[in-house]
């Protein structure tokens, strides 16, 4: 009871029961969980990431998002202009726009704000149907997958999956 009061005061909100948190250690754990959540989306997918690269990993995500958009699910994607610079993000996500998805670029270069490009969006999150959410430090690209043939392990970047009322 004392711990509950302390946490509630520290958070500024009451504790809510019924939540589940799962740690996801690297791309081998994060990507399949994210893709499964996207595949099971029925109403809305909100996806924000610093880098969504046009490569094998990015294509897996684009295909999953496009499929959901075509199925009538609202799909909203934000990626960072600077993070996607030279990585083909715009080209990769054009078919998603064509399928009815909403794609936004965070803070693109603008002559009206020559130093504005310095403000970046490093968030990496996915929320599906208000029932499951993911927060990570992991971007979307094949380099996060690693390369077992060359002895390169997946990028170690712990993420969190949250399900429940939270």
């Amino acid at each position: 009871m004392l711990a509950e009061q302390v946490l509630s005061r520290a958070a500024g909100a009451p504790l809510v029961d019924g939540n589940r948190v799962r740690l996801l250690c690297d791309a081998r754990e994060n990507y399949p969980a994210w893709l499964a959540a996207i595949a099971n989306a029925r109403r809305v997918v909100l996806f924000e990431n610093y880098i969504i690269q046009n490569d094998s990993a990015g294509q897996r995500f684009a295909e999953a998002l496009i499929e959901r958009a075509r199925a009538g699910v609202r799909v909203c994607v934000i990626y960072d202009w600077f993070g996607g610079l030279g990585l083909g993000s715009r080209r990769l996500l054009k078919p998603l726009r064509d399928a009815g998805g909403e794609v936004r670029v965070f803070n693109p270069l603008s002559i009206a704000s020559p130093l504005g490009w310095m403000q970046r969006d490093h968030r990496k999150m996915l929320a599906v149907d208000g029932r499951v959410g993911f927060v990570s430090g992991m971007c979307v690209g094949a380099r996060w997958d690693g390369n077992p043939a060359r002895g390169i392990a997946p990028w170690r970047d712990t993420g969190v999956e949250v399900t429940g009322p939270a």
Side-chain angles (χ1 to χ4, degrees), residues 1 7 18-19 29 42 56 62 65 78 81 90 107 112 120 125 128 133 158 160-161 166:
M1 190 64 161
L7 287 171
N19 295 299
E29 294 180 4
R42 298 294 170 250
S56 60
L65 294 165
I78 298 174
W81 173 82
R90 192 165 130 204
N107 205 15
R120 305 293 11 122
M125 62 78 57
V128 176
T158 302
V160 176
E161 175 187 40

Side-chain angles (χ1 to χ4, degrees), residues 52-55 58-59 62-63 66 79 84-99 103 105:
I52 304 173
Q53 191 165 353
N54 189 357
D55 61 13
Q59 288 167 8
E63 289 167 8
I66 290 165
Y79 71 93
L85 192 62
L87 300 179
S89 303
R90 192 165 130 204
R91 184 174 53 252
L92 173 71
L93 296 171
K94 183 183 181 319
L96 175 57
R97 278 191 177 111
D98 296 343
V103 179
V105 180

Side-chain angles (χ1 to χ4, degrees), residues 34-78:
W34 296 0
L35 289 166
I38 292 167
N40 289 312
R42 298 294 170 250
R43 294 186 332 268
V44 63
V45 174
L46 306 172
F47 186 43
E48 183 173 11
N49 210 292
Y50 181 64
I51 295 170
I52 304 173
Q53 191 165 353
N54 189 357
D55 61 13
S56 60
Q59 288 167 8
R60 288 193 316 261
F61 278 87
E63 289 167 8
L65 294 165
I66 290 165
E67 190 280 325
R68 291 289 74 208
R70 287 185 178 146
V73 173
R74 182 175 182 213
V75 176
C76 305
V77 174
I78 298 174

